[in-house]
Amino acid sequence: MGLWAKPHDDRRIIKELANVRVCEGVWKVVVTTTGPDEREMLNTNEATMTVKMVDRRFQVWQYSDSQNIEYSFVTYDYNAKRYRWWCVLADGFIMEWSGERYLRDLLEWETVKVHQGIRMTVRETLLTEDRRKLKMAGEIKRDDEVVAYRKDELTWLSELPEEHRLPEVK
């Protein structure tokens, strides 16, 4: 949680994150999960996500819904030439993803370290030039069989709260 405790600082961020990161601030997240048939609606949840940049190379998220708080950290791995995403789940498990950029505003993510045998593939697309609207869609698999589909819509709500910003230099 050390990265989350640091203040937001988007000065001199690495170029690999500059065009794929979402806008810092508070976001509304609507998560829809469906069954093995995409037309079969199972569950829709709403959450809030706070996003900031730290240490030039990390985008960090605090995701909270009515039951859990989770933290994510996204960066670029120069050695692997891929994006990396770690998500600390409410039960303490750290899920790991590897991502590759396709086109300008599309990232495809695949789980590397999985939770309870569940693998996911997700495509993330920035929908607006100002980086304030994002959609994610993907498959959830167990033993190589699709058990669910997931669609997330993320919409920017407000500026990053002051407590997450660098103190002003006087």
Side-chain angles (χ1 to χ4, degrees), residues 103-120:
L103 308 172
R104 184 174 146 196
D105 294 325
L106 174 66
L107 280 171
E108 184 169 278
W109 295 97
E110 291 199 28
T111 49
V112 174
K113 186 176 176 189
V114 299
H115 190 245
Q116 301 174 350
I118 294 175
R119 293 199 160 293
M120 289 196 261

Side-chain angles (χ1 to χ4, degrees), residues 131-149:
R131 302 181 331 272
R132 293 182 176 190
K133 186 118 176 108
L134 170 75
K135 74 175 180 178
M136 298 172 81
E139 295 179 335
I140 301 169
K141 294 180 178 181
R142 179 175 274 137
D143 299 325
D144 292 328
E145 183 179 329
V146 174
V147 294
Y149 293 90

Side-chain angles (χ1 to χ4, degrees), residues 28-35 38-47 63 65-67 149-153:
K28 175 183 175 182
V29 181
V30 177
V31 178
T32 302
T33 308
T34 63
E38 282 188 88
R39 297 175 300 256
E40 175 188 321
M41 177 68 75
L42 288 180
N43 197 10
T44 298
N45 291 323
E46 287 193 15
Y63 174 94
D65 60 22
S66 61
Q67 300 172 351
Y149 293 90
R150 179 174 172 154
K151 294 179 183 177
D152 300 4
E153 290 186 16

Side-chain angles (χ1 to χ4, degrees), residues 91-102:
D91 65 4
F93 183 83
I94 300 173
M95 185 173 274
E96 183 180 346
W97 301 72
S98 178
E100 190 169 1
R101 184 175 179 174
Y102 295 95

Side-chain angles (χ1 to χ4, degrees), residues 13-56:
I13 62 172
I14 61 173
K15 68 178 182 174
E16 291 78 9
L17 283 183
N19 291 325
V20 298
R21 69 186 176 104
V22 296
C23 188
E24 64 276 349
V26 178
W27 289 70
K28 175 183 175 182
V29 181
V30 177
V31 178
T32 302
T33 308
T34 63
D37 180 345
E38 282 188 88
R39 297 175 300 256
E40 175 188 321
M41 177 68 75
L42 288 180
N43 197 10
T44 298
N45 291 323
E46 287 193 15
T48 302
M49 184 172 77
T50 303
V51 178
K52 61 185 177 179
M53 292 295 299
V54 299
D55 289 350
R56 294 187 55 236

Side-chain angles (χ1 to χ4, degrees), residues 37-94:
D37 180 345
E38 282 188 88
R39 297 175 300 256
E40 175 188 321
M41 177 68 75
L42 288 180
N43 197 10
T44 298
N45 291 323
E46 287 193 15
T48 302
M49 184 172 77
T50 303
V51 178
K52 61 185 177 179
M53 292 295 299
V54 299
D55 289 350
R56 294 187 55 236
R57 56 177 291 118
F58 293 99
Q59 181 176 69
V60 295
W61 308 349
Q62 181 187 56
Y63 174 94
S64 57
D65 60 22
S66 61
Q67 300 172 351
N68 301 305
I69 295 178
E70 299 174 354
Y71 295 89
S72 288
F73 312 91
V74 177
T75 192
Y76 185 77
D77 180 341
Y78 289 100
N79 293 329
K81 293 182 175 57
R82 295 183 68 84
Y83 291 87
R84 296 286 186 221
W85 175 7
W86 296 270
C87 181
V88 182
L89 302 179
D91 65 4
F93 183 83
I94 300 173

